[in-house]
Amino acid sequence: MTDLTCLFLGQPLANPLMNASGVCCRTTTELDTLASSAAAAMVTKSCTLEPRTGNPEPRYSSLPLGSINSMGLPNEGYQYYLDYAERFDHERKLLFLSISGLTLDDNVEMIAAIREAVNPALLEVNLSCPNVPGKPQTGYDFEAMDELLDEVNDAYKRPFGVKLPPYFDISHFDAAAEVLNRYPRLAFVTCINSVGNGLVIDPDTESVVIKPKDGFGGLGGAYVLPTALANVNAFYRRCPDKQIIGCGGVQSGTEAFLHLLAGASLVQIGTALYEEGPAVFDRVLGELTAIMASKGYTSIDAFRGKLKTL
Ligand SMILES: O=C1NC(=O)NC(C(=O)O)N1
């Protein structure tokens, strides 16, 4: 019998799957769809202090090898998601609440409200939205990242986590991990956010495919799998006291298996969820189960993090 249960921050979950923030999680209708899906956990759209309509459309495009987006943090404002979390049945499913304040003060203000929650969700601080014009990604500025995490650590006494951008240099894995490891209550790290500021060009129209930022947007899907796996494994190796949530390029049980092998505790699905809807969770769970059975693994811990090197 193949058992998909896993432990996250001490909480048993039926399986390791959840959505990637931003997909199927902006409205209560979308969030309720996730709550009714086979995913064992779910995360809200990254929210800001005030509601945002986001960037002009078209701002998302799907392609054979993945997706490009420049949504621009469209969301209902943090109170909307706080209210959703207060009404949520946390026994039923693990709920994460993602914040992406436009300024340090906005993040501090949102956290001041979130810490008063009677029925708290798990806080994820998004350090990596690449699509707000004029807003650099905090995750690429280690000093700013440390300053923000110091404020979060002071203001918020429950375990929390961060959503990181992809890094592409070993010295950046080292520097980022050094900052993260200063905060023991920083309990999980979600790798990766989209690969920022890619450019998809349509050869027929000789045009970009999304409107914001002259077509520059965050890449997801198959394009980003090797980078996602590298970031999951890099932080799995460097942050032994934290759990890693893998995100990027999961389109089947195979990629979910790879993220777990690389050290992920949970696995997020973004582009494939956007394209296929919540049935993607049932499909990927079935495929993951089949892969584990074919390899003789009866539990996820039998192989999780046990990536072989040569
Ligand atoms: O953090 C984010 N990552 C993305 O790829 N897109 C969204 C967005 O643009 O809102 N935010």
Side-chain angles (χ1 to χ4, degrees):
M1 175 59 193
T2 307
D3 177 7
L4 292 188
T5 55
C6 45
L7 271 182
F8 192 76
L9 305 193
Q11 184 170 336
L13 299 177
N15 64 63
L17 296 190
M18 64 183 289
N19 67 302
S21 181
V23 183
C24 191
C25 58
R26 173 178 177 179
T27 65
T28 50
T29 303
E30 290 180 324
L31 289 164
D32 287 345
T33 299
L34 288 178
S36 305
S37 77
M42 55 190 275
V43 59
T44 61
K45 169 65 188 174
S46 294
C47 59
T48 47
L49 202 60
E50 303 300 333
R52 284 174 58 87
T53 53
N55 291 339
E57 296 182 329
R59 58 194 189 184
Y60 176 94
S61 176
S62 70
L63 307 127
L65 291 177
S67 62
I68 185 168
N69 91 83
S70 182
M71 309 303 282
L73 289 176
N75 75 95
E76 308 302 321
Y78 80 102
Q79 195 58 53
Y80 180 96
Y81 303 101
L82 250 185
D83 294 345
Y84 185 85
E86 289 293 11
R87 300 191 306 269
F88 191 76
D89 173 6
H90 296 268
E91 296 302 309
R92 177 183 183 194
K93 206 164 288 256
L94 179 59
L95 176 66
F96 294 77
L97 191 154
S98 174
I99 66 172
S100 187
L102 298 181
T103 66
L104 177 64
D105 287 349
D106 283 6
N107 275 313
V108 170
E109 188 168 341
M110 289 191 281
I111 287 167
I114 292 166
R115 76 179 174 206
E116 303 307 323
V118 173
N119 218 2
L122 253 179
L123 174 64
E124 178 183 88
V125 182
N126 183 356
L127 303 176
S128 45
C129 176
N131 300 324
V132 177
K135 283 284 168 200
Q137 295 182 65
T138 305
Y140 286 150
D141 177 339
F142 297 123
E143 204 173 305
M145 184 160 111
D146 192 27
E147 185 185 8
L148 171 54
L149 293 179
D150 192 46
E151 292 278 350
V152 175
N153 191 58
D154 280 352
Y156 196 71
K157 298 308 177 191
R158 298 190 188 105
F160 67 98
V162 291
K163 175 77 167 281
L164 293 181
Y167 298 102
F168 303 92
D169 190 289
I170 300 299
S171 70
H172 295 165
F173 291 138
D174 293 338
E178 187 188 339
V179 173
L180 301 179
N181 285 330
R182 289 181 197 149
Y183 303 100
R185 276 200 309 282
L186 197 167
F188 67 92
V189 181
T190 305
C191 302
I192 59 175
N193 208 318
S194 57
V195 172
N197 295 295
L199 183 63
V200 170
I201 301 172
D202 180 329
D204 300 333
T205 62
E206 301 174 18
S207 166
V208 302
V209 298
I210 56 173
K211 184 176 178 69
K213 294 173 57 181
D214 294 329
F216 284 65
L219 301 178
Y223 290 122
V224 310
L225 180 66
T227 296
L229 294 175
N231 279 262
V232 164
N233 194 242
F235 288 100
Y236 177 71
R237 290 173 183 278
R238 288 170 175 78
C239 304
D241 303 328
K242 305 180 192 302
Q243 289 191 264
I244 311 301
I245 300 179
C247 183
V250 179
Q251 301 184 303
S252 77
T254 300
E255 296 80 33
F257 177 77
L258 296 180
H259 269 273
L260 295 164
L261 200 59
S265 292
L266 300 182
V267 177
Q268 299 187 342
I269 302 179
T271 300
L273 172 59
Y274 189 101
E275 297 302 318
E276 194 171 326
V280 70
F281 295 118
D282 303 276
R283 176 175 63 81
V284 172
L285 285 173
E287 292 163 349
L288 177 59
T289 302
I291 290 166
M292 288 172 63
S294 72
K295 290 167 172 284
Y297 292 133
T298 55
S299 73
I300 284 177
D301 277 348
F303 66 93
R304 196 176 68 76
K306 295 181 177 165
L307 172 64
K308 297 169 185 163
T309 55
L310 299 178

